[in-house]
Amino acid sequence: PDILAPQTVLFGWSHGGWSVLEFLSIVAGDDPEPNVAPPNIDISNLRAAFLYYPYCGISSLPDSANFPMHTKTVIFHGKKDVITDPRQCQALADTLRAGGGDVEFISLQKSGHWFDNHAVRSVYDADATQRPRTLVNQTLQSIRTN
């Protein structure tokens, strides 16, 4: 009861980003798995979704007709990611945007998967981490003031 519905956002990293895509697609009307009822959730107030290097391949492609057009969705992806394919996420973002979705794809040119994990120095990219942080903070601030 203490959730401020008009300020609700979702975040997902890697498989969590894929899960957010699936969630948005199912609750917005896409067909769920056979014999699985879609959740009875009103997402009309869901303001934004921030997805970090999600999987965007086969079986994760929401139909633009069923994607919530009012939800600002931002996908952050390292161009050098070898775990999830940034080209698939770029194509997905383009398709959803062409269908009227408020979807943005942010390509981080020198980064790979897990670029924001400061605990693993071999993958951490401070510059790439700052760009999403800035955009997320700006978006959250605009949601807070609207």
Side-chain angles (χ1 to χ4, degrees):
D2 58 346
I3 292 175
L4 300 174
Q7 296 179 2
T8 303
V9 298
L10 297 174
F11 284 84
W13 282 260
S14 196
H15 189 274
W18 178 17
S19 297
V20 169
L21 282 171
E22 290 290 320
F23 172 78
L24 290 172
S25 181
I26 290 171
V27 297
D30 202 5
D31 291 329
E33 294 296 318
N35 302 318
V36 176
N40 185 18
I41 299 172
D42 178 9
I43 62 166
S44 62
N45 288 318
L46 184 59
R47 296 293 300 273
F50 300 102
L51 314 177
Y52 291 74
Y53 35 85
Y55 171 72
C56 298
I58 207 111
S59 84
S60 71
L61 304 175
D63 181 346
S64 60
N66 292 326
F67 199 77
M69 300 304 165
H70 63 279
T71 302
K72 178 176 185 59
T73 304
V74 183
I75 301 171
F76 303 106
H77 219 300
K79 190 170 184 177
K80 295 183 177 181
D81 194 331
V82 295
I83 296 173
T84 58
D85 189 343
R87 296 170 299 178
Q88 291 175 327
C89 288
Q90 175 74 67
L92 175 62
D94 292 345
T95 298
L96 293 173
R97 191 170 39 260
D102 184 4
V103 180
E104 185 175 1
F105 180 84
I106 306 291
S107 180
L108 303 163
Q109 298 300 314
K110 298 177 183 177
S111 299
H113 201 78
W114 232 17
F115 62 82
D116 56 337
N117 185 347
H118 66 278
V120 181
R121 291 290 170 201
S122 62
V123 296
Y124 180 64
D125 184 334
D127 293 333
T129 299
Q130 187 58 44
R131 187 170 174 200
R133 182 178 296 145
T134 299
L135 181 58
V136 166
N137 286 337
Q138 289 171 345
T139 303
L140 294 176
Q141 183 61 36
S142 73
I143 290 170
R144 198 173 302 123
T145 58
N146 285 339

